[in-house]
Amino acid sequence: MVWNPFKKKDEADLVSTEATDSTPSASTVPPPEKTQEKQNGEEQSLSPSVPPAPDNSSSTNVGVAEPVAEVKIQTEQLNEEPQGFVCVPEIRVEDDRTGLDIETLKRAFADNLFYIQGKLGSMATPNDYYMALAYTVRDRLLQRWLNSAQTYLRGDVKVVCYLSAEFLLGPHLGNNLINLGIYDRIEQAITESGLDLQELIAQEEEPGLGNGGLGRLAACYIDSLASLEIPAIGYGIRYEFGIFDQEIQDGWQVEITDKWLRYGNPWEIARPEIAVEVKLGGYVDHYVDDAGNYRTHWIPDREVHGVPYDTPILGYRVNTANTLRLWKAEAPESFDFQAFNVGDYYGAVDAKISSENITKVLYPNDEQVQGKRLRLEQQYFFVSCSLQDMIRLYLLENPNLDNFHETFAVQLNDTHPSIGVPELMRLLVDEHHMAWEQAWQITTHTFAYTNHTLLPEALEKWSVQLFGRVLPRHLEIIYEINRRFLDMVRIRYPDNDAKLASLSLIDELGKKSVRMAHLACVGSYAINGVAQLHTELLKKDVLHDFYALWPEKFSNKTNGVTPRRWVVQNNPGLSKLISRKIGDRWITHLDELRKLEQFADDPQFQAQWQQVKQNCKHQLTKQIKERTGVVVDPTSMFDIQVKRIHEYKRQHLNALHIITLYNRLKENPDLDLQPRTFIFGGKAAPGYFMAKLMIKLITSVGEVVNNDPDVRDRLKVVFLPDYNVTNSQRVYPAADLSEQISTAGKEASGTGNMKFSLNGALTIGTLDGANVEIREEVGAENFFLFGLTTPEVKEQKANGYNSWDVYNANPGLKKAIDMISCGFFSHGDQQLFKPLLDSLLYDDKYMLFADYQDYIDCQDRVGDAFKHKDAWTKMSILNTARSGKFSSDRAIREYCQEIWQVEPVPIELQEYVQANAVLRVRQPNGSKA
Ligand code: NBG
């Protein structure tokens, strides 16, 4: 309905939209920034008392100011002069759900507060405001989302399905504003509403549905998929409790439950009507059917419902909005009834709880596996839901599943979803009665597998016994896959039992177990590592035998990160400076940052660059004060190590450097030492004692250093609690030095290293993971390299590396270790750090002592370099300028071309006009419209 004040009195009140009609046309709505330009350029406010002169040259709606700010004049109508009226323009309200006018945004925001939150301004909480704003923004995504979904249902579109047990998304609001291109408008609307946009953005509880790099990579990749207009669905688990919140108490990590859903999640839409059933446990019946076919029947002892929750993932300034579909486990109702009827109320509730437990909590382990039944159930649950969903979608358009693999490219993000291989076989063979050979052909043309680790403890294995109890039918299928696979191996390597044993999907040594990485390799048409070095090591060591069998399956896809979140959103100062110099195409074509190279020596540009960095350091300084109480000097060098806490990542090597500097300053107070602030952040797996002790060591060293009047003006140590996507926002932009100091050959890639370099930090690092490629790109002269190489690590170990000898031979190292050992950092407690020290002195698996001296020497070079501001700034500029390779857009393009064989599918927007909204699902004769 549209109110038309210019109509004759008796007809003016309400004019049915039918009069203006229009079935939504197929016209293409311009992408958001264009819409914006149009509105900025062409719209004018008019006083309602002065009817505007008809303007036939423009077909754009014209905004009208208060008190009828809502009304718009549809100028197309001006040519028509209905009888009895003198030039009566049609006036319509700008679409409240899609309109981008400041007035419209303000009104939609207030309206959502009223109708969705049920609050008036006078009673609203900050969360109410956040929710009202989130719904206002979500409304503006929906048109893109629905049009994308509709397009993907077309039979000729190939869709990437990214299966990942983790998606570490970070908050949505800011990111959506940027990708939609309406950040400034919303900011104005919110300011004019008397509120602060930053405060509302800060209200959002981030969905912490991941541990670290692997989960964040999945989030960067779905951003790039949408930005590149690639049809894609992210499939995962809707954990009710994501990664725990970390508090630091008395220097120790304390874990707090992450209740991220407590106040609701405005970004998701539940789709209970397409829930699927997942079976668990029980046994398998085998029989021959009437037609003489061998069949199986799985009789589970439990069934769980998988309910999808969909979140739109909007690309940057494109119409594509893909879907992240996360599954929640629910109990089927029948369960409750059966138990309830026999009077077993608690039994009924138990069944419900045990079903729902499956998606309750994210396992907070990173690079470590524990053969827990619930974890296997989680993996199977989400993979089964996702494959069933793909089959449902496929059968909407196709008569059978024969060409399933031509429509879906399914990427296994690590081995967590590799149960998908036997599950797709089960669905095709058992449920859709396809012959094994054909099903295997489809399966092995559907899946591709990314490996993310070289650590043996992170390669998943499930005991055969447990596996058979949870997934009896899948164990049979795995045995059959293995039987056929080993027959092939026997032909290739006759009389070679060792080969059979090393390739088998079943590890027969000790407790029999299923090797999930082997399952993924056998069931996939492509296998990739996540950095050049990592891929080489996979081929040489971890997956060597598979590489020998199928070299053509292997390729490298070096990781990348999305510049939208990691630069545009987190570092607006730098983004603006860059765009002023080279335009803003770099946001989607990161290689264009190279154009900055020409300004690396320009004193004026250097000064601006320094100013931006300094502002970021001030902001982080403020946050450090607020969150830890520690006052740091923003002019000191910010030396930062943020990542999961792990022995192989060697945060304790960093701590040894701090102690070494501390000792030098104590010995020589006049030492010309570059003031430094050491900043750490990261969570330890709750069951990983050594990692927790590393946190305690860092905070204990910090306590001594920060309180010692002899050094505290020159050295500061900060442990930023609860490192997550939100809290990382201020960290990367403020870094001078990025610590990437893992033992060579252990870090598969790293992605934090890329975020730092992009934001102009210099790296001190080993030749590990993607550090190798960062150094190659930015130039050896702009990278601080130290440490043993992967072959050297191997060689030293082979030659009987003895850390005890190194300790005795190196006075600086010995002194640092002895201080920890004698309780200098633990109020005299000599036992506290003993487990950590023992592991270093008597084993040193990660070669800290072997790399210690080289690290210290390299840090000395860093300190000297930092004194030369201009030279440092030049290196900083060159780091940013040459980091274009590390965009997730580049990585995703490679996956698309070399693995998935998919093409962009631009989305045409069917115009949706709220005022014209009318459903015509069926024609009057009953047929579908
Ligand atoms: C991690 C690696 C990182 C890598 C990310 C993303 C796991 C199992 N692996 O080096 O440790 O950057 O994956 O590929 O979490």
Side-chain angles (χ1 to χ4, degrees), residues 254-275:
V254 174
E255 299 95 25
I256 313 284
T257 314
D258 165 41
K259 300 196 184 116
W260 72 286
L261 288 168
R262 175 171 33 183
Y263 301 121
N265 174 8
W267 302 103
E268 66 184 8
I269 296 184
R271 308 279 188 204
E273 71 283 3
I274 50 167

Side-chain angles (χ1 to χ4, degrees), residues 162 166 211-218 221 365-368 413-416 450-455 458-459 529-531 534 557-560 643-644 648-649 742 746-754 768-770 895:
Y162 200 81
E166 303 186 9
N211 271 287
L214 178 144
R216 182 56 230 178
L217 186 79
Y221 280 3
N365 298 324
D366 166 268
E367 302 274 5
Q368 209 181 0
N413 195 28
D414 216 359
T415 53
H416 317 143
T450 305
N451 172 289
H452 291 268
T453 190
L454 292 158
L455 301 191
L459 287 175
V530 291
H534 171 230
K557 300 284 168 284
T558 298
N559 285 342
K643 48 181 78 242
R644 286 298 289 253
Y648 88 79
K649 295 178 189 276
S742 52
K746 296 294 175 193
E747 187 72 87
S749 163
T751 41
N753 46 4
M754 301 170 182
D768 199 18
Y895 278 96

Side-chain angles (χ1 to χ4, degrees), residues 5 40 51 59 106 226 296 299 494 521 526 529 632 642 717 760 768 794 801 821 868 874:
N40 285 339
S59 66
K106 281 160 66 178
T296 57
I299 298 107
C521 286
V632 307
V642 284
V717 182
D768 199 18
K794 221 174 155 180
Y801 167 68
S821 162
H868 304 103
K874 176 179 177 180

Side-chain angles (χ1 to χ4, degrees), residues 23 28 92 147 166 356 378 408 429 524 570 593 615 788 804 838 850 876:
T23 328
T28 304
R92 98 181 178 201
N147 280 283
E166 303 186 9
E356 300 193 345
Q378 286 188 335
F408 291 108
V429 174
S524 298
N570 290 1
L593 288 177
N615 292 346
L788 298 174
W804 178 253
D838 284 352
S876 165

Side-chain angles (χ1 to χ4, degrees), residues 905-916:
V905 177
I907 302 299
E908 273 196 10
L909 285 192
Q910 305 286 316
E911 193 176 4
Y912 178 87
V913 181
Q914 186 186 10
N916 295 338

